[in-house]
Amino acid sequence: MALWDSSKNMCSMEPTADGSPTVPEPELYRSIQAVLPRETDQLQQSDCFNKGMLRWTLHKKVQKNPASSLSLVWLLIKELEKAERWDSRKCIIPLLHTLMYAIFQTAYIPDELYKRVYDFCKRLLTFPHPYCTVGLSYTRQIKTERFIPGLMYQRMVIAEQRLKTVHYPFQERVFVLAEPEVFSESLVTVVSGDFEVSATSSGQFLNPLDHMRSVVQHSIQAALGDEHCHGPKLAQALKDMGQEVEPYFQEVLASLEQSLEEGVRGEGGVLRSRLLQLYNEILANADSEPLSGGPLCDCPLPNPEMSFHLWTADLDIWRELAKWLRSSSMSEQFSIIEEQEDPELGESPIDMMPCDMTRFSIMSNDSGIERDLPPSTEPSQLPSLDAVSMTGPWEQSKNEQDSKLLRRGGIKMKPSVKDSMVLIQENMEDQASLTGAGGSGGRGGRRGMTLQRRAGSSVMHNPFSKQQRQLTARIVIMGTDRVLGRLAKAYYFFRKREARRLFLTMKVDLQFYYIPVCSPKSPSSPVKENHQQSKGDSCTLGSYLSNVDPWYNCNIKSLGRMIPNLAKMQQASSERQKEPFISDIISYYVRTGQQPVYFAIYFVKISFNIMTKEPVEEVFLTHLDMEFPEFRHIIASVRGDKHRKSSGEVCGAMVSMNYRKVTLSGRDIDEGISVRMTGARINAIPSNEAEDLNCLTLMINETSVKTKNNTVEPPKFRTSNIKIRTLERRSFTVILDRDDSRTYRNVQSIEVSPCVDPGYCVQKTMRSKYKLEEDKDAGLSKYMNKGLPLPINTFAGIIN
């Protein structure tokens, strides 16, 4: 039987049973206990997979039996209070996320239960990080939801389903980008089918009117409860209205948003009276007599709107974002000045715009002012009409055959200070959460940042504040380290474009998520197997996140292992897929995974031994592998030899290494050595939790030392900046993030350093205009993180 065959039927807004839960409380209790991790558990992959599946099954069970939702909330808060008394912190994050996900979809919650949940979340503020951070976020949501019931559900549906309203002009979109090397054609078909099933209810696609009815139904039920609201009557009346439900939808939205602004309490206040009046009007228009009370209806929370893409060479994720921004119902008429194509930036912004979008004028390097012309410039050297700038005031000559342009008096438009400060502001907001990997300015200098990797948002973001960008793009990456390397590269060039001319940054909030998916294991020869083992884990970043966040391990890392097998399961099952699985996991992840972990992006300059070939500037996120091809057979023999020889006894190419050795004290030292090697690896992701430092780790293939356990291991050089250069006429090969498409041959030297955030570059350029000889870290740059991090959202961040 297929994985998703958990129920025969599901209907939106189906009335619940009379009061008593359809799922017995002992059964719910056993399901909760099965999901929870134990302090003494040494979780294997199969155990994590089971717990993740049990969590999904628990939510599905309650979704099929909506009357059990309130019982589940009561049981979860009791378990949380018990975990607090017993100081069982390992259970707090899983229970808390499960509780909030159940609250989102519960038709009505009494005030006593709201208060109990709120008090518990408030007590979490005294806990260490990350419990206090997660607790603060949920404390704010519960406090607002208690006084304005139904607000979280309403805002989720409006934003995720892109419903048109002036009262809450926020929209979200989930972009799922899959690695083509991992996702076969059959697997793509299964995932696309899963997303289609997710967008339907009982085999029918949901339209905006369905979502509007759900919002009205849930908001009225959440405020009135079963004492003053009859759910089935209300549901039937809303269904009979058809198009006429939209005015009531807008009225409900206006009432809740106005109550939030005025601080009006929902229970017993103006909001409750207004919703009761709307309830009576709806039933009166449907010629139905209002009832004093009765059973409530279930309003399932639909999965967010998602789009699935294979991240091939032809796909530009920023082009997809621009298309969404353009087609968004809330988008404005943007006035965009396109830039000239710059070799330093690669594609120009006009290349990232959709083909069907209007092409605007191209920014000229000429200011358009006569006094700015060089003395030797002749009128015939003026640019042609196709290079006209929107800020360069040109007029076409009356002599159209001459095709010359006459310039007139004008002023030079300076870049907006507001635009220039946007990237800097983002950098400053994340400063307290990040740890810079940049080194000091001189030899033996003290580094300004700690080596400890941190997580969580430094800004205590209020989800109910309107001072935020109206569009949120949730980018979910599925695959191995290869696709993460492509994301880091795309993100780096995106920031460089935005630093020159803002387009998406001011309008779209970018949130990144990662689901590690490995290629399915296939029978291979021993040679291939040894080669794969030498490469190691293909999802190192996913393995790291699963180590620091156990709930991520249960729900994302372990379940991602079975995604490649879905195609085989679908082929083996003759029945059609009935329940969404992958889209359910993604929905749970993007809604509750709001604590980012930051990973530094590293810059590498690659120089070649061919004089005519220009150096290449690249970035990487997880690995940089280098090897000398002529010594490849020696590498294999050395790896298979348990009694490794020292570097002096092994042949190889002589290279020089100049690097900055980082220390826990922050007093970094510049060192230089020469060593003979056949290859090396630079890791940016720690291999275990004990070595979790935000720096690079260099390992040379042949060099080895004996540990306390008499095992032979390569030594580790911790560094932030390193330069490797061959001293012989041999060249080496460089592979970035284990991506064969990013392989560089005939390399003579590499220079690796933390990638500098373009926001810092903008601020530095602004200062240099007014002061020729400034201090290294003067002004605002003294407080800025110079490194460019890539934030990946998790459920808890890092649990020490």
Side-chain angles (χ1 to χ4, degrees):
M1 185 175 65
L3 172 69
W4 41 78
D5 295 341
S6 59
S7 177
K8 294 285 183 182
N9 186 25
M10 179 181 70
C11 183
S12 178
M13 292 199 299
E14 186 175 344
T16 65
D18 295 330
S20 62
T22 56
V23 179
E25 282 197 11
E27 183 178 343
L28 286 176
Y29 180 78
R30 287 192 298 270
S31 299
I32 294 173
Q33 295 300 316
V35 170
L36 292 181
R38 297 300 169 195
E39 297 292 340
T40 57
D41 280 353
Q42 296 294 330
L43 293 182
Q44 303 296 326
Q45 287 299 332
S46 58
D47 298 329
C48 292
F49 172 77
N50 290 335
K51 291 184 182 298
M53 283 299 304
L54 288 171
R55 196 279 313 162
W56 179 76
T57 305
L58 174 62
H59 284 297
K60 278 295 177 183
K61 185 185 298 183
V62 174
Q63 191 178 45
K64 306 307 178 190
N65 304 277
S68 306
S69 184
L70 187 60
S71 300
L72 178 63
V73 174
W74 276 109
L75 289 173
L76 288 170
I77 188 60
K78 290 177 182 177
E79 288 299 310
L80 278 168
E81 292 169 346
K82 184 165 66 174
E84 181 188 17
R85 289 194 303 270
W86 293 358
D87 197 24
S88 181
R89 295 183 180 179
K90 202 171 184 179
C91 301
I92 289 179
I93 294 296
L95 282 170
L96 191 57
H97 285 311
T98 307
L99 169 67
M100 293 301 297
Y101 209 65
I103 289 177
F104 292 160
Q105 306 180 68
T106 302
Y108 172 75
I109 297 179
D111 184 69
E112 176 191 355
L113 184 53
Y114 269 133
K115 183 179 184 303
R116 199 160 166 179
V117 175
Y118 173 73
D119 290 341
F120 174 81
C121 292
K122 194 167 61 172
R123 291 195 297 271
L124 285 181
L125 301 181
T126 62
F127 281 54
H129 182 83
Y131 303 99
C132 59
T133 308
V134 178
L136 177 62
S137 175
Y138 283 150
T139 298
R140 286 172 167 165
Q141 293 185 44
I142 290 297
K143 180 180 180 181
T144 309
E145 184 73 10
R146 180 185 177 190
F147 294 129
I148 308 177
L151 185 63
M152 284 193 299
Y153 179 95
Q154 170 183 293
R155 287 189 163 186
M156 263 189 197
V157 174
I158 292 173
E160 294 175 351
Q161 307 302 327
R162 296 201 296 169
L163 300 182
K164 298 179 182 180
T165 172
V166 296
H167 305 292
Y168 188 71
F170 294 91
Q171 295 183 12
E172 296 180 4
R173 180 71 178 271
V174 178
F175 296 85
V176 181
L177 305 177
E179 183 179 347
E181 291 86 351
V182 175
F183 282 74
S184 61
E185 185 177 350
S186 58
L187 184 56
V188 170
T189 303
V190 172
V191 175
S192 302
D194 186 283
F195 284 11
E196 290 179 4
V197 173
S198 174
T200 64
S201 176
S202 298
Q204 297 180 354
F205 283 94
L206 299 175
N207 56 47
L209 290 178
D210 295 325
H211 299 308
M212 291 180 186
R213 283 193 287 267
S214 296
V215 169
V216 175
Q217 179 91 23
H218 187 274
S219 299
I220 292 178
Q221 289 184 160
L224 303 182
D226 55 359
E227 294 183 0
H228 299 88
C229 178
H230 193 282
K233 286 283 187 181
L234 177 61
Q236 187 62 43
L238 291 173
K239 187 176 181 180
D240 295 340
M241 279 186 175
Q243 298 281 350
E244 297 178 1
V245 74
E246 186 170 357
Y248 291 98
F249 166 74
Q250 299 290 351
E251 182 66 26
V252 168
L253 260 62
S255 300
L256 267 66
E257 294 295 336
Q258 183 179 359
S259 298
L260 179 64
E261 293 178 359
E262 297 176 356
V264 179
R265 181 167 179 170
E267 183 181 351
V270 179
L271 174 62
R272 187 172 180 275
S273 301
R274 178 57 185 148
L275 292 180
L276 181 59
Q277 180 183 352
L278 286 175
Y279 169 69
N280 292 326
E281 288 181 11
I282 293 172
L283 294 186
N285 291 338
D287 296 329
S288 177
E289 194 174 327
L291 301 175
S292 58
L296 300 180
C297 283
D298 172 42
C299 303
L301 183 62
N303 286 339
E305 185 176 308
M306 304 180 191
S307 59
F308 180 77
H309 310 269
L310 273 182
W311 198 345
T312 60
D314 299 330
L315 178 69
D316 186 347
I317 58 175
W318 313 123
R319 181 188 297 269
E320 296 299 324
L321 288 180
K323 285 182 181 179
W324 172 55
L325 181 60
R326 180 103 176 153
S327 64
S328 172
S329 59
M330 306 304 295
S331 63
E332 304 171 358
Q333 297 296 325
F334 295 103
S335 177
I336 306 168
I337 301 177
E338 301 292 346
E339 298 173 272
Q340 279 187 326
E341 190 163 333
D342 193 324
E344 192 175 284
L345 297 181
E347 272 187 285
S348 65
I350 202 167
D351 294 325
M352 80 174 181
M353 303 292 289
C355 300
D356 56 340
M357 293 181 65
T358 305
R359 291 178 64 93
F360 296 92
S361 301
I362 298 176
M363 176 71 76
S364 172
N365 290 329
D366 195 340
S367 67
I369 304 175
E370 291 184 8
R371 63 174 178 268
D372 289 344
L373 277 176
S376 60
T377 305
E378 298 294 336
S380 60
Q381 297 174 330
L382 296 179
S384 59
L385 186 59
D386 60 354
V388 173
S389 168
M390 293 177 69
T391 60
W394 299 86
E395 287 184 344
Q396 189 172 7
S397 172
K398 293 181 180 179
N399 186 6
E400 296 180 357
Q401 296 179 353
D402 203 4
S403 298
K404 293 180 181 178
L405 298 174
L406 297 178
R407 62 173 71 231
R408 64 183 180 184
I411 60 173
K412 184 187 298 182
M413 291 188 64
K414 298 180 179 180
S416 168
V417 176
K418 179 182 177 182
D419 290 354
S420 301
M421 291 298 294
V422 170
L423 291 179
I424 303 176
Q425 182 180 0
E426 281 195 341
N427 190 302
M428 293 294 290
E429 287 178 353
D430 291 336
Q431 176 64 30
S433 299
L434 308 180
T435 52
S440 57
R443 182 181 181 88
R446 175 178 288 277
R447 183 179 58 256
M449 299 293 175
T450 174
L451 283 175
Q452 183 182 3
R453 189 188 307 275
R454 301 200 182 186
S457 177
S458 62
V459 179
M460 297 307 181
H461 174 64
N462 187 351
F464 296 100
S465 172
K466 289 195 174 183
Q467 301 300 321
Q468 51 183 307
R469 282 163 284 197
Q470 293 184 359
L471 300 177
T472 300
R474 304 193 184 277
I475 301 176
V476 181
I477 306 298
M478 301 177 71
T480 63
D481 292 337
R482 288 188 298 260
V483 71
L484 285 174
R486 295 169 198 172
L487 174 65
K489 182 177 180 179
Y491 184 58
Y492 169 68
F493 283 105
F494 163 75
R495 296 280 290 188
K496 291 194 72 174
R497 289 172 180 168
E498 294 291 293
R500 291 174 61 91
R501 178 65 59 185
L502 283 175
F503 174 52
L504 292 174
T505 302
M506 297 187 68
K507 297 294 179 182
V508 182
D509 179 22
L510 297 178
Q511 298 288 323
F512 296 103
Y513 303 82
Y514 175 50
I515 300 179
V517 181
C518 302
S519 301
K521 294 182 179 180
S522 57
S524 58
S525 62
V527 177
K528 271 191 174 182
E529 192 172 345
N530 290 335
H531 179 65
Q532 292 295 333
Q533 289 178 358
S534 66
K535 284 190 173 183
D537 185 8
S538 60
C539 300
T540 53
L541 192 141
S543 299
Y544 170 81
L545 291 178
S546 65
N547 288 333
V548 299
D549 186 351
W551 199 230
Y552 178 92
N553 187 28
C554 292
N555 288 274
I556 304 302
K557 176 67 160 54
S558 60
L559 294 178
R561 290 177 175 269
M562 60 86 59
I563 289 180
N565 299 323
L566 285 178
K568 297 180 181 178
M569 296 172 62
Q570 177 69 12
Q571 292 173 357
S573 175
S574 58
E575 299 181 11
R576 188 185 173 193
Q577 180 174 341
K578 297 179 181 179
E579 291 288 341
F581 172 67
I582 298 177
S583 53
D584 280 351
I585 300 300
I586 294 176
S587 301
Y588 180 77
Y589 185 18
V590 299
R591 285 168 176 163
T592 59
Q594 300 296 324
Q595 300 302 315
V597 177
Y598 294 90
F599 298 92
I601 300 175
Y602 288 91
F603 172 85
V604 55
K605 181 178 180 181
I606 303 173
S607 301
F608 303 92
N609 61 359
I610 303 174
M611 300 301 295
T612 57
K613 194 171 183 180
E614 293 292 329
V616 174
E617 295 181 349
E618 265 276 14
V619 296
F620 69 95
L621 183 69
T622 59
H623 301 88
L624 185 150
D625 292 292
M626 57 169 290
E627 67 173 10
F628 290 86
E630 57 265 42
F631 299 113
R632 191 170 296 167
H633 64 284
I634 298 179
I635 298 176
S637 63
V638 170
R639 281 174 178 158
D641 187 4
K642 295 182 179 180
H643 306 285
R644 286 192 181 186
K645 300 178 181 180
S646 65
S647 59
E649 301 176 24
V650 176
C651 62
M654 180 65 70
V655 300
S656 67
M657 297 193 310
N658 298 92
Y659 64 98
R660 178 164 293 146
K661 181 180 179 181
V662 298
T663 59
L664 295 176
S665 64
R667 298 186 178 275
D668 300 345
I669 304 172
D670 292 340
E671 294 187 354
I673 61 172
S674 296
V675 64
R676 192 171 291 276
M677 67 164 68
T678 61
R681 168 173 290 180
I682 299 177
N683 294 327
I685 308 298
S687 57
N688 55 67
E689 193 175 351
E691 300 178 356
D692 187 8
L693 300 176
N694 196 19
C695 63
L696 296 171
T697 303
L698 169 67
M699 292 185 294
I700 301 174
N701 290 345
E702 288 71 42
T703 308
S704 60
V705 294
K706 284 189 177 181
T707 63
K708 295 179 180 179
N709 300 328
N710 292 326
T711 58
V712 179
E713 294 182 357
K716 298 178 181 179
F717 300 87
R718 292 193 179 96
T719 178
S720 58
N721 305 67
I722 186 170
K723 180 177 180 180
I724 301 177
R725 181 182 182 87
T726 176
L727 300 178
E728 300 175 354
R729 292 189 176 181
R730 294 187 176 97
S731 62
F732 55 91
T733 301
V734 172
I735 303 177
L736 302 177
D737 292 317
R738 292 173 174 159
D739 191 349
D740 292 335
S741 64
R742 301 174 66 196
T743 301
Y744 296 90
R745 296 178 175 82
N746 301 319
V747 178
Q748 186 180 31
S749 66
I750 57 173
E751 298 180 41
V752 181
S753 59
C755 193
V756 179
D757 194 314
Y760 169 75
C761 298
V762 172
Q763 192 270 342
K764 187 176 181 182
T765 304
M766 292 171 62
R767 284 192 295 109
S768 63
K769 294 180 180 179
Y770 305 101
K771 191 174 181 181
L772 297 178
E773 296 180 0
E774 74 262 20
D775 297 332
K776 192 92 176 168
D777 290 318
L780 187 60
S781 63
K782 190 185 335 182
Y783 306 100
M784 291 180 61
N785 188 332
K786 303 174 186 61
L788 175 63
L790 179 67
I792 303 294
N793 281 359
T794 64
F795 297 102
I798 297 177
I799 299 180
N800 296 323

